[in-house]
Amino acid sequence: MDAVADFSFATPTTRLLPFSTFTLFHRPHLYSSSSFIYFSKPLMAHNHHHHHHHHLTMSPVTINGHQQQQQNSSIIVPPFDHHDDYYHSIDEKLLDNIAYDALVWASLHGLLMGDKSYQKSGMVPGVGLMHAPFALFPTPFPQTKWNQASDLAPIFNELVDRVSLDGQFLQESLSRTKKVDEFTSRLLDIHSKMLQLNKKEDIRLGLHRSDYMLDEQTKSLLQIELNTISSSFAGFGSLVTELHRYILSRHGKLLGLDSEKIPANNAVNQYAEALAKAWSEYNNPRAVIMIVVQAEERNMYDQHFLSAVLRDKHGITIVRKTLAEVDQEGEILPDGTLSVNGQEVAVVYFRAGYTPADYPSESEWAARLLMEQSSAIKCPSISYHLVGTKKIQQELAKPGVLERFLENKDDIAKMRECFAGLWSLDDSDIVQKAIERPELFVMKPQREGGGNNIYGDAVRDTLIKLQKLGSQEDAAYILMQRIFPTASAAVLMRNGCWHKDRAISELGIFGTYLRNKDTVIVNNQSGYLMRTKISSSDEGGVAAGFAVIDSVYLT
């Protein structure tokens, strides 16, 4: 998702300081917002956790008028891998220097978002820019779990494709959800129209992202969700990886960190390549790729980054349209071609359409149906979109269901190993357990883009309320085992300030999949996105203001 990069949490109201107040000479007035504390002093931050660390103390030296940290060989750097609070023990002057370097790098390389304090920042490019929130250092992650997550990508790609072809399974699995969830119901209506027309999608393109967390108790890698629509941050994921490699190449010797331990991340190029190959399969060099976008999108630069690669490297024309514009300007020609504003569309790439808010009127639904009926390649098609719902995730975790779609026993075992506990609310034993121990569960509705999950005592309250109503409403939710990831020391950059905190991370592995009838053209693991959020927040989306974009340091 774009608007809220599915750590999914509500937006805090932050008081942003105008940039001119970030001057060294002001007294640091304290602004507190949710769990962040900002200073009106550049790059300095308050540290909640008063651990007694051995600080690396260095006197800055001036070289060519620039202050440089002295490479003092007598500094003993604690071994990185075995020191959980390592990032919090780095000298604050050094942190200031690294943060300054990182902010310059981010600005020069387009690691930017619209700043919501500027009215037009989500509509006019280049207006009201702010660096995207990022972690100053990469997060340690075990090599074995990294390999496990990477190996799963092509299997999940194949699974999405197989499940998408079983229209009856999708309709039946979602039939109870349909009665209580208007949004899922509308998507299913479009899907059943396609089944009635017997419309076959010969060319199928999937740009997926499977999200995982490491569970501290079991030390296992568990899947949070599988995104099949608008899997965002291929651009920013690649950029933050580059940023961290740059920081470690400049400061790594002093920090005892090796930039080679950050795995390469080519997500944006691999996403572009899959889109370009789909465009080639469509086989009309005059046709365009149309990106369906929200009318206001502060995360537009992540999208434009992908468009730029498609234009510069592959020579493809890109157009950006909202669903409302597609309704006004779009038509299907007699041969099934989708034409928008007189241009033939080869590929429709959705970066909108995943949340009810994207359909304020009937006109947006009409646009979605129009595109689905056309011969353009959809990323995702309506069936790929439905495979990504929470309910299907829960159905696939039931015993015996994966066997319906996959033959390879090893692949099935690998997938099951990463499945967290998932249950529907018609399982009365589990509901009873969740009422007794709500802290061990998360309730998830059929919603993308965050801010929707239910945690803690609210789980108990919601379940008891649903029991009293005795209604169908419980079909709108699934119950999931709550994962307790390890919190580690992190230094988070937002609004030009660094901030030390305890944080937990979620690893998203991108996958690209393209097939034409029986030929699989692409099926790859295609880079990654690490998101890190303050460990006290239940939910946090990057764009919503809780999480930051990160990369992986293999241990």
Side-chain angles (χ1 to χ4, degrees), residues 56 100 132 135 151 202 268 288 308 358 380 421 435 447 494 503 508 533 543:
L56 308 180
Y100 186 92
D151 292 347
D202 287 336
V268 73
V288 302
D358 289 343
I435 288 172
R447 281 288 172 271
R494 39 191 339 128
K533 59 176 184 174

Side-chain angles (χ1 to χ4, degrees), residues 423-428 431 443 463 466 474-475 477-479:
W423 305 274
S424 81
L425 299 196
D426 49 18
D427 182 335
S428 55
V431 169
M443 268 181 89
L463 288 171
L466 289 172
D474 62 2
Y477 296 94
I478 64 159
L479 268 174

Side-chain angles (χ1 to χ4, degrees), residues 79 168 197 206 392 409 482 546:
Q168 192 187 358
L197 293 171
I392 295 298
K409 296 270 187 292
R482 186 156 184 186
F546 284 82

